[in-house]
Amino acid sequence: MRAMLLASACALAHFAVAMPTTAMAQDHQEPQTTAHEADEVTEVIVTATRREERLQDVPISVTSLSQDDLNERGIVGYEGLAEATPGVVLNRPTANFNNFTARGIATNGYNANLQSTVAIYIDELPISANGNSTILDPSLYDVERIEFLRGPQGTLFGSGSLAGALRILTHDPDPSGFDASALVDFGLSDGGVLRQRYNGMVNIPLIDNELALRIVGFVRNEDGWVDNIGTGVENSNRLVQYGGRAILQWEPTDRLTARLMFSHEISRPRDSALTNPALGEDIRLSDRPDLFQSEMNNLNATFEYQFDGARLTSSTTYGQMDQLFYVDLAGTFGQTIAFALDADGYDTNFVQETRIVSDAGGDWDWSAGVFYFRRRRDVDYGYRSNPAFLAARGITGLPDEYYQRFGIHVISNELAAFGEVTYRFNPDLWVTGGLRYGTTDAQGFTEDWGYNSNYLIRALFGLPGAVTVTPVAPATGVKAEESGPSYRLSLSWRPVPNLTAYGAIATGFRPPIVNARAGAVSALDPTDIIIPYGASSDNLINYEIGIKGNWFNRRLFANVAAYWIDWNDLQVQANRVSDSVQFATNIGEVTSKGIEFEVVAFPLDGWTVAFTGALNESTVTGLTPIEAGISGAVLDHRLAGPQVSGSLRVGYEWEMQPGVMANASVAVSHIGDFPNSFPNTPGQPTVPLSTYDYTDSYTFANANFAVAFDNFTVGAYVENIFDDRSVTYVHIENFLDSRYARLRPRTLGVRIGYEF
């Protein structure tokens, strides 16, 4: 029986040691076992260090989830990954707007103008970007594995992994035989809101044991639950998403593997899910739908060759991502004037990584490689009024409803060489050192076709008549450049075979940021801040100790890590008060300290208890008066992450009758409250920020029941059993009328799976 559905079964995270899987996975390609057969558990293997290693031996805090784990949990997107990973929170105001916070390293949940502190990779391609970007929710169906690495990963994964790296590793084709699967999920939320998810996979061997093609497709059609009183549309935040990937893999010899992948995904939410509590729990207001839509295409070619003693890998990826960022800005001026932004973004990415990794087994293990990444981002900005407002105020002279249009593009590059060496004093004591030296640069350009006008002045002061239109001059921004090393050093000790302890020091940084409107003076208040050129790299060092092990004849598994982080020269978002123009700059120092743990126990045959949790204290510890004034930060202020978070899962599996297995589980998760930003107004440090607020501290529960027959599974589930509607995100910028995101309403559903 295969665990095709088991989305309704009790989820078991693959923690720092080998974890037993549910009995419904008996025919999976890898050996599996039930809880009472734990002495035969297969070790979990990860590639977090760019080589295959036992998770227990990796001196990094890693949460690894196989495809079976994702199915068991019902995880199809980023939300479930955050719930499964201790110390990680997903700031997700609405679909396609995702930023992870790990270990409290975030000044707000939005990261406007800033690169995310957690890098997101699909295979070798980094897809994370800054907070103004729509970051698409990739399909997580038929993946090989998810790895969430916590702490800086700058030596192996580059400048974007300041606080962690999320790796989505796709499944290789299997040339040994035909395979196919399907999974259908129907959910119904309170209020009659229907959720439909369809997934399918087919694996076709073209040359026996040599060449195979694997094709995956998915469709998500999910009704919304938020009403937009500005557009008059009920359940306006509907999501339509579809796409797939095709992977062709050729293994002509035992030494050579060639892999070609193409993926295509389109995600089109029909409106934002952000709401205004003053209007109602699930009510929002905008003159048109706020659109955060994305289309992503990736093409990757990977070649691997096994030499005697080492494996060479070359991975080349070309990616394109088109984005819509359409948002009503009228909240800036209390809805008194028409004011909105329609921005179209186009990213073109190229990644080349070549590395060679020694075979395991000797006293020395080593790896070395080079990495090159180039991104060009084009953004066409259109600031608009609307025809009705222009006519009512008697404002004329614009070519259409747009009072300002301009285009910019930013070109950024990263080139790095990296290496890692491990020396084993004996089989149970080893030291690892890693170093990456890289250069990054970024430069912005204003294009020569734009125009501006004095619309805002006429609209705000009620001045009818023809606006004055002036061209936007082309400009070349200052090139921001940074060079320097990142390093990692760790010592691992295995005092007994079932326990590994480690201590590690690691550094991380982000590349410099250029401000799209550097040098711009406020049209509303020329004495306000002049937008600076950008922000230089920030720096972070992470001190960590941890243990990974199992006890009581492998009936108890645990992974515990404690850390202390010093973060300096923070890249932060600031807002110019007069016209809400955003810009990036550097400030102060932060200290983040905490503990994370993952525990799984098998107290009795068939029973599983899984407990994860994190405690964190992340505060501003260094700040000058100038830095406080420009950012709104305050000494000793908490950053945008919960102090307490965790989850508890209890599951029971039994044989209903010969050949038919059943599984039931209940899971409870808790996320503590946290502030959405610094407390004061940038540029006016004595004035409290009007949009400053806290998320709710909330606890929600899910329940699942599944029955597995031969190749067929069926299950039922309830998400958010008690219909908790707590606030999970608060947007920091006053241009939005609706700034609050909530938990999805209670959802009941069924999942049906089949594997050929």
Side-chain angles (χ1 to χ4, degrees):
M1 286 172 281
R2 305 195 179 198
M4 190 53 242
L5 172 59
L6 301 197
S8 312
C10 175
L12 299 180
H14 283 286
F15 295 143
V17 287
M19 299 307 304
T21 62
T22 173
M24 296 189 212
Q26 294 173 5
D27 290 344
H28 191 271
Q29 294 175 359
E30 298 178 359
Q32 306 291 338
T33 182
T34 58
H36 58 277
E37 297 168 328
D39 58 332
E40 301 176 2
V41 169
T42 301
E43 295 287 359
V44 175
I45 303 299
V46 297
T47 56
T49 59
R50 299 297 196 182
R51 69 169 69 247
E52 292 188 349
E53 290 188 274
R54 294 194 318 158
L55 187 53
Q56 180 175 337
D57 294 335
V58 175
I60 301 172
S61 294
V62 182
T63 293
S64 177
L65 299 170
S66 69
Q67 182 62 61
D68 285 343
D69 295 324
L70 299 177
N71 288 345
E72 290 166 5
R73 292 174 178 263
I75 295 175
V76 298
Y78 289 139
E79 310 99 304
L81 297 181
E83 294 168 13
T85 307
V88 172
V89 173
L90 176 64
N91 298 290
R92 189 175 191 266
T94 188
N96 286 344
F97 223 108
N98 302 283
N99 277 287
F100 287 99
T101 296
R103 296 185 168 179
I105 301 300
T107 56
N108 61 67
Y110 182 34
N111 279 329
N113 297 308
L114 309 176
Q115 189 177 54
S116 175
T117 58
V118 174
I120 303 173
Y121 282 77
I122 298 179
D123 292 326
E124 305 292 344
L125 176 66
I127 65 169
S128 50
N130 66 38
N132 291 82
S133 304
T134 54
I135 301 176
L136 181 144
D137 297 316
S139 170
L140 300 182
Y141 184 72
D142 194 56
V143 298
E144 177 71 27
R145 187 173 63 257
I146 304 292
E147 295 178 3
F148 210 125
L149 289 61
R150 299 184 297 282
Q153 308 299 324
T155 55
L156 294 178
F157 295 97
S159 60
S161 53
L162 188 73
L166 168 62
R167 307 181 66 211
I168 302 169
L169 305 173
T170 57
H171 205 300
D172 287 336
D174 181 3
S176 65
F178 179 83
D179 193 12
S181 65
L183 176 63
V184 178
D185 183 332
F186 297 108
L188 189 66
S189 300
D190 286 5
V193 175
L194 179 62
R195 181 174 69 189
Q196 304 173 67
R197 297 170 175 170
Y198 306 92
N199 307 274
M201 179 278 295
V202 59
N203 183 93
I204 306 169
L206 302 176
I207 300 177
D208 190 37
N209 293 317
E210 185 174 323
L211 180 67
L213 175 66
R214 194 176 190 95
I215 301 173
V216 178
F218 73 96
V219 175
R220 296 174 66 181
N221 189 342
E222 305 182 8
D223 291 341
W225 61 91
V226 173
D227 298 338
N228 190 331
I229 62 174
T231 62
V233 177
E234 296 182 353
N235 299 332
S236 65
N237 61 315
R238 178 187 172 203
L239 173 64
V240 176
Q241 185 172 347
Y242 55 91
R245 64 180 175 270
I247 304 175
L248 182 68
Q249 184 160 303
W250 182 41
E251 302 175 60
T253 71
D254 292 340
R255 291 180 177 266
L256 177 64
T257 300
R259 187 180 192 264
L260 183 66
M261 181 187 75
F262 174 72
S263 65
H264 173 71
E265 297 195 20
I266 294 178
S267 184
R268 292 177 176 164
R270 301 306 196 222
D271 200 353
S272 170
L274 287 170
T275 63
N276 183 342
L279 301 174
E281 187 173 69
D282 290 323
I283 303 296
R284 59 175 281 99
L285 172 64
S286 61
D287 69 330
R288 298 175 190 175
D290 284 350
L291 300 180
F292 308 113
Q293 300 184 353
S294 187
E295 177 177 348
M296 181 169 63
N297 297 285
N298 294 323
L299 180 63
N300 171 265
T302 299
F303 300 90
E304 295 185 307
Y305 189 81
Q306 180 65 51
F307 292 97
D308 293 335
R311 190 170 189 85
L312 177 68
T313 300
S314 173
S315 175
T316 306
T317 304
Y318 176 79
Q320 290 182 320
M321 183 178 293
D322 297 341
Q323 309 163 50
L324 297 183
F325 185 95
Y326 289 8
V327 60
D328 185 356
L329 308 178
T332 304
F333 304 110
Q335 303 293 329
T336 58
I337 67 170
F339 179 28
L341 168 64
D342 295 346
D344 297 84
Y346 311 93
D347 283 5
T348 301
N349 305 307
F350 175 80
V351 182
Q352 173 63 47
E353 180 167 321
T354 303
R355 61 182 179 270
I356 186 167
V357 179
S358 67
D359 295 341
D363 292 339
W364 293 90
D365 291 332
W366 53 267
S367 62
V370 292
F371 173 87
Y372 175 68
F373 174 52
R374 177 181 176 85
R375 168 178 287 153
R376 172 168 171 150
R377 164 165 294 173
D378 289 78
V379 184
D380 296 337
Y381 292 91
Y383 287 90
R384 63 173 173 83
S385 178
N386 64 57
F389 180 84
L390 292 172
R393 293 294 183 92
I395 298 175
T396 61
L398 292 174
D400 48 34
E401 64 180 336
Y402 292 91
Y403 68 85
Q404 182 182 21
R405 285 183 181 271
F406 67 97
I408 64 102
H409 69 270
V410 176
I411 297 176
S412 55
N413 298 278
E414 180 180 348
L415 177 64
F418 59 88
E420 188 172 271
V421 177
T422 296
Y423 176 69
R424 300 182 183 276
F425 300 99
N426 59 57
D428 297 319
L429 180 66
W430 63 96
V431 62
T432 299
L435 179 68
R436 184 186 189 100
Y437 189 90
T439 64
T440 65
D441 64 70
Q443 188 171 22
F445 303 85
T446 301
E447 297 173 0
D448 62 358
W449 52 264
Y451 65 85
N452 200 353
S453 73
N454 62 343
Y455 162 81
L456 285 178
I457 293 176
R458 287 192 172 276
L460 287 170
F461 294 98
L463 303 176
V467 300
T468 300
V469 177
T470 57
V472 172
T476 299
V478 176
K479 178 181 282 191
E481 298 179 277
E482 297 277 351
S483 297
S486 294
Y487 65 86
R488 182 177 188 88
L489 181 66
S490 64
L491 178 66
S492 301
W493 178 45
R494 191 162 46 210
V496 292
N498 62 317
L499 178 67
T500 301
Y502 69 90
I505 302 174
T507 64
F509 72 101
R510 285 183 291 185
I513 300 293
V514 294
N515 289 318
R517 305 187 65 179
V521 178
S522 172
L524 299 179
D525 182 3
T527 66
D528 205 343
I529 296 169
I530 297 175
I531 304 302
Y533 85 92
S536 60
S537 173
D538 46 8
N539 297 281
L540 179 147
I541 183 167
N542 179 97
Y543 307 90
E544 181 173 340
I545 57 173
I547 59 170
K548 306 177 181 184
N550 65 86
W551 297 267
F552 305 112
N553 195 29
R554 302 177 71 86
R555 285 188 173 271
L556 176 66
F557 297 79
N559 171 15
V560 182
Y563 59 86
W564 181 292
I565 297 173
D566 290 326
W567 184 17
N568 300 298
D569 298 325
L570 288 63
Q571 292 181 354
V572 297
Q573 172 204 342
N575 289 352
R576 188 159 61 190
V577 175
S578 61
D579 57 2
S580 291
V581 171
Q582 303 164 347
F583 62 93
T585 189
N586 297 92
I587 68 164
E589 300 175 7
V590 159
T591 297
S592 177
K593 50 193 175 183
I595 186 169
E596 303 159 347
F597 58 88
E598 302 170 299
V599 178
V600 174
F602 305 95
L604 298 169
D605 289 352
W607 285 93
T608 303
V609 179
F611 183 36
T612 70
L615 304 174
N616 173 263
E617 182 180 334
S618 184
T619 57
V620 178
T621 53
L623 194 69
T624 68
I626 293 176
E627 292 168 341
I630 199 170
S631 66
V634 174
L635 277 174
D636 299 323
H637 187 265
R638 279 180 58 193
L639 297 193
Q643 291 180 312
V644 180
S645 61
S647 66
L648 174 66
R649 294 175 178 270
V650 179
Y652 179 64
E653 178 184 281
W654 71 99
E655 189 174 35
M656 296 184 67
Q657 60 185 51
V660 179
M661 300 298 297
N663 191 303
S665 69
V666 175
V668 180
S669 298
H670 174 78
I671 304 293
D673 63 354
F674 55 88
N676 68 328
S677 68
F678 295 134
N680 291 335
T681 302
Q684 297 180 348
T686 61
V687 179
L689 184 66
S690 61
T691 57
Y692 179 71
D693 204 350
Y694 273 71
T695 65
D696 289 335
S697 177
Y698 59 94
T699 303
F700 64 96
N702 301 328
N704 304 278
F705 173 73
V707 178
F709 300 92
D710 187 5
N711 294 342
F712 177 75
T713 54
V714 61
Y717 63 86
V718 183
E719 297 175 354
N720 194 6
I721 296 173
F722 302 106
D723 196 30
D724 189 311
R725 305 308 316 287
S726 294
V727 171
T728 60
Y729 173 92
V730 184
H731 198 74
I732 63 172
E733 291 155 336
N734 66 355
F735 58 65
L736 291 180
D737 173 88
S738 304
R739 301 186 297 109
Y740 292 78
R742 298 180 181 275
L743 285 171
R744 183 187 178 98
R746 176 173 44 221
T747 302
L748 291 77
V750 296
R751 297 187 180 104
I752 302 170
Y754 182 79
E755 184 166 341
F756 180 81

